[in-house]
């Protein structure tokens, strides 16, 4: 037979699947349902190899599930709002919508060329007014349910781009695009009350057994439940009112006798008061604010402090503790003020060392006592020392004792605090879902001072669509500048009012898209009964970079929608899989101290060196790292599909590396896959329906492979499934023609079809297989062929081996005995002697005693 030609076969079968509507999920099907989903892509321009790996895994599972008799929902769409579209608008003068639509068209064509079994009838982009209109409706429902608030929040404000920046967009205190010094501003922002669900979201993690442990742990840390105590120290000093107290939060009340000073955040009211009329304090606070804003940056920054001159009184020991302003204390955690215990907290230790404050040991680990000096903070377990009535207690007992004492005396109580903050969803950007509210009053120019305030857009006026005619030539939010868009009549009183010009964080769009995939009525976001048919998602697959935010937000939306009575689901993703990255070495040359990278296609690679094809000169070979545009170590999916065909690329994505590990791209690897495609094709060509004869060994191996590949796919161990298919292919190649061999070849078509669907379809059609292989059933396993079911047993008489017999494994004792006694050799040895006893060891031996 001729070579398999993907350039013909791929397109042909993709068309056949489309025409047969093979992958359109029917929610009315009587079959059991299975919802397989990969994280939908951002339409940045091109599909990259990471997408290909991600979607290939989901595709194999979806195709396999369909073969197992499930009605499979495997949809695809576009996470289409966001900053890159506006950046493109600013840089290239194109409209964000047009840019996005073009990218979607390109990327969709790319996905089609890989032959994914996707239900394109359910495709949507989050920038479709229909989709974001339903999102606006849900936002209003959440508002009505008390889960949306508007409050003042401190934001990073870029004064040049005139926009709020996320923490990640502030680099060394400067805006990532403008390079301008970022200011902290207090602005009214919209929030979703995720903190109402902190406890549930934490508890729920315990039930997500099919999630990777590392992802659960990351979410747990992000939610950050901390059991501690809030306590109050009395204050004295300049400017302090009599009886005034300061609120502190600690997780270590047991160390209270080790507290040697108090520290407050730079934006704590007490710090503000100390700065009043004190230029040195003002300078200090300004310095603190210039530092990075993330918790990680604050942790690692050098400790800085300013003595306010205010003094706090220790509630148990009675001594004076100076109150410092400290850069490592955060205003929005706990109470924004701490009792500092340098002996047992490293931050406090560093600070005390720098400012010459006392360090007192109050916990002694094994081998230490009250007098053992501290070279660093002791943060482990131990017995309490130097602590009056707590001496000798364990850490836990001492915590309880201090809380009890404080609650009695009224200066403190046990308290749980959370690291999780409400989710600020306001973005001062154009390319996002408009937040469906109208402001009546304050900003109105009709002379009237006040109006109706913040008014929801009536649902029958949704969607609030984005205006098309916007300009990106000036910084700031185009919605704010648009001449007419924001001016509307107040839905309540009819007077002039203005629309909210903030749009929603794009993470909102991806928090419920999986619901809309399952059910798409025109008049509402989803239909509850339809959702119940498909959800929860049986398998969700995506990158670990979404371990925290996207997955937590989606879990929160699901619970929030349940709380307001819209759905019946608690957790959207029954099982989660995070795949590894596709990696490649990098090629670069040093130019003026900076690396200039070259693409693999520009390189000729030798055993130890790499040369730039253009000039033949050597380039440096860098480490094997994630493929990225900036390092140019990317391969273009289109190019490799053109070279090797979709099936070879799919096969490569599944081979060699376990799916959770990184997959190093190699030219040799993809070439090997291309060769295997042809090898299978040759074997498929040897199918002969009229071959006769049995081959029990091959039959056994075939059924073992059917069972094992099924297990591997269900466990997402694709590389193992691939290895088994290699093995069976090798055996079938070597086997002599027989009916069994033809059956094995046919089975191989079915088993390989989730991975190499085009090749399998082509082979299937040539042997006259019924219908499309994509719709064929997974081969039945004959259970009895799974076990190596014959064993050789020994038969002894008078301590000597008289005969061996091959019997079925697990043969009952009495049958073994009967067979043994029936042996001619045994009868000869017995020579008529009376049998006194027969000892049978199952599957091993029969010992006859006379
Ligand atoms: C006294 C103490 C002694 C503390 C000790 C720790 C160890 P987690 O567990 O992460 O919740 N803290 C409290 N509020 C803070 C804030 N706004 N900014 C910075 N640090 C703050 O951390 C709680 C601990 O972090 C608290 O317990 C407090 O220091 C500090 F041996 O109080 B501890
Ligand atoms: Zn009004």
């Amino acid at each position: 037979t001729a070579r398999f030609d993907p350039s013909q076969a791929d397109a042909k079968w993709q068309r056949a699947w489309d025409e047969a509507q093979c992958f359109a999920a029917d929610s009315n099907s009587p079959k059991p349902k299975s919802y397989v989903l990969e994280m939908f892509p951002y339409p940045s321009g091109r599909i990259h190899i990471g997408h290909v790996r991600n979607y290939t895994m989901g595709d194999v599972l979806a195709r396999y599930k369909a073969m197992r008799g499930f009605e499979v929902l495997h949809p695809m769409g576009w996470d289409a709002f966001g900053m890159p579209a506006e950046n493109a608008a600013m840089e290239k003068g194109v409209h964000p919508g047009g840019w996005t639509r073009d990218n979607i068209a390109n990327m969709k064509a790319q996905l089609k060329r890989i032959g994914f079994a996707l239900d394109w009838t359910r495709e949507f982009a989050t920038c479709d007014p229909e989709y974001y209109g339903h999102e606006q409706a849900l936002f209003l429902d959440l508002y009505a349910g008390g889960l949306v608030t508007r409050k003042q929040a401190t934001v990073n404000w870029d004064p040049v781009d005139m926009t709020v920046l996320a923490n990640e967009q502030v680099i060394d205190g400067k805006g990532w695009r403008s390079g301008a010094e970022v200011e902290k501003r207090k602005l009214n922002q919209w929030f979703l009350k995720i903190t109402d669900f902190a406890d549930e979201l934490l508890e729920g993690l315990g039930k997500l057994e099919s999630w990777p442990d590392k992802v659960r742990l990351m979410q747990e840390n992000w939610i950050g439940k901390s059991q501690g105590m809030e306590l109050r120290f009395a204050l004295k000093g300049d400017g302090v009112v009599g009886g005034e107290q300061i609120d502190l939060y600690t997780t270590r009340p047991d160390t209270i006798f080790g507290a040697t000073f108090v520290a407050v955040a730079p934006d704590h009211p007490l710090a503000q008061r100390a700065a009043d009329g004190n230029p040195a304090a003002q300078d200090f606070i300004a310095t603190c604010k210039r530092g990075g804003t993330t918790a990680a940056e604050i942790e690692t920054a050098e400790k800085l402090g300013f003595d306010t001159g205010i003094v706090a009184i220790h509630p148990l020991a009675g001594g004076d503790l100076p109150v410092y302003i400290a850069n490592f204390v955060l205003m929005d955690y706990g109470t924004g003020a701490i009792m500092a215990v340098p002996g047992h907290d490293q931050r406090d230790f560093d600070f005390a060392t720098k400012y010459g404050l006392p360090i007192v040991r109050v916990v002694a680990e094994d081998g230490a006592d009250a007098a053992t000096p501290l070279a660093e903070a002791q943060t482990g377990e131990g017995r309490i020392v130097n602590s009056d009535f707590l001496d000798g207690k364990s850490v836990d007992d001492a915590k309880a004792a201090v809380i009890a004492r404080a609650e009695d005396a009224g200066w403190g109580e046990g308290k749980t605090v959370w690291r999780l903050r409400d989710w600020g969803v306001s973005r001062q950007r154009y390319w996002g879902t408009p937040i469906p509210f109208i402001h009546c009053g304050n900003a109105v120019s009709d002379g009237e001072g006040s109006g109706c305030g913040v008014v929801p857009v009536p649902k029958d006026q949704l969607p609030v669509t984005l205006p098309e005619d916007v300009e990106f030539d000036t910084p700031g939010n185009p919605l704010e500048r648009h001449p007419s868009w924001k001016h509307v009549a107040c839905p309540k009183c009819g007077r002039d009012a203005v629309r909210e010009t903030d749009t929603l964080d794009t993470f909102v769009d991806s928090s419920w898209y999986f619901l809309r995939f399952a059910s798409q009525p025109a008049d509402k976001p989803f239909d509850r009964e339809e959702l119940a048919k498909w959800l929860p998602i049986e398998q969700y697959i995506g990158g670990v970079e979404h371990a925290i935010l996207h997955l937590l937000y989606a879990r929160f939306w699901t619970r929030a929608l349940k709380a307001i009575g819209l759905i019946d689901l608690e957790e959207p993703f029954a099982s989660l899989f995070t795949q590894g990255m596709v990696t490649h070495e990098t090629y670069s040359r040093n130019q003026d101290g900076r690396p200039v990278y070259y693409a693999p296609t520009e390189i000729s690679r030798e055993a130890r060196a790499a040369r730039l094809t253009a000039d033949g000169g050597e380039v440096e070979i860098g480490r094997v790292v994630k493929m990225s545009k900036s390092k140019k170590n990317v391969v273009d999916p289109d190019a490799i599909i053109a070279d090797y065909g979709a099936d070879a690329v799919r096969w490569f994505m599944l081979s060699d590396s376990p799916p959770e590990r990184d997959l190093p791209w190699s030219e040799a690897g993809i070439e090997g896959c291309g060769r295997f495609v042809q090898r299978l094709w040759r074997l498929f060509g040897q199918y002969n329906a009229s071959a006769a004869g049995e081959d029990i060994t091959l039959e056994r191996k075939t059924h073992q492979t059917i069972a094992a590949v099924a297990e591997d796919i269900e466990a997402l161990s694709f590389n193992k499934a691939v290895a088994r298919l290699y093995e069976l292919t090798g055996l079938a190649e070597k086997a002599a023609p027989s009916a069994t061999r033809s059956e094995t070849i046919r089975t191989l078509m079915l088993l390989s079809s989730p991975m190499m669907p085009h090749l399998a379809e082509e082979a299937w059609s040539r042997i006259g297989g019924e219908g499309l292989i994509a719709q064929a059933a997974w081969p039945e396993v004959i259970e009895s062929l799974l076990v190596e079911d014959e064993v050789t047993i020994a038969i002894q008489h008078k301590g000597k081996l008289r005969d061996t017999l091959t019997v079925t494994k697990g043969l009952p004792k009495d049958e073994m005995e009967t067979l043994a006694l029936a042996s001619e050799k045994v009868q000869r040895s017995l020579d008529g002697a009376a049998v006194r006893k027969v000892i049978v060891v199952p599957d091993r031996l029969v010992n006859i005693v006379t």
Side-chain angles (χ1 to χ4, degrees), residues 114-149:
I114 311 171
F116 291 135
L118 292 164
D119 181 353
W120 288 106
T121 66
R122 295 171 188 250
E123 175 193 11
F124 60 79
T126 55
C127 63
D128 296 344
E130 185 183 341
Y131 181 80
Y132 71 71
H134 291 307
E135 183 165 303
Q136 290 167 339
L138 290 174
F139 194 75
L140 293 177
D141 289 338
L142 291 171
Y143 177 77
L147 294 174
V148 172
T149 55

Side-chain angles (χ1 to χ4, degrees), residues 440-441 451-453 455 490-495 497:
C440 172
C452 311
V455 184
C490 169
K492 259 195 189 158
C493 69
R495 282 184 296 177

Side-chain angles (χ1 to χ4, degrees), residues 549-560:
L549 294 185
H550 161 56
L551 290 167
L552 191 65
Y553 292 151
R555 293 183 61 219
F556 157 62
W557 264 68
T558 305
R559 283 171 187 271

Side-chain angles (χ1 to χ4, degrees), residues 12 23 83 89 180 315 334 388 477 560 606 634 712 754 783 831 845:
K12 167 170 140 199
F23 312 122
M83 222 25 221
D388 193 344
N477 182 355
E606 296 155 15
V634 290
D712 291 337
E783 294 287 332
D831 198 21
L845 101 165

Side-chain angles (χ1 to χ4, degrees), residues 39 507 510 513 540 546 548-555 573:
M39 292 176 185
F507 275 113
S510 52
Y513 77 108
Y540 196 33
H546 294 297
I548 300 180
L549 294 185
H550 161 56
L551 290 167
L552 191 65
Y553 292 151
R555 293 183 61 219
F573 314 121

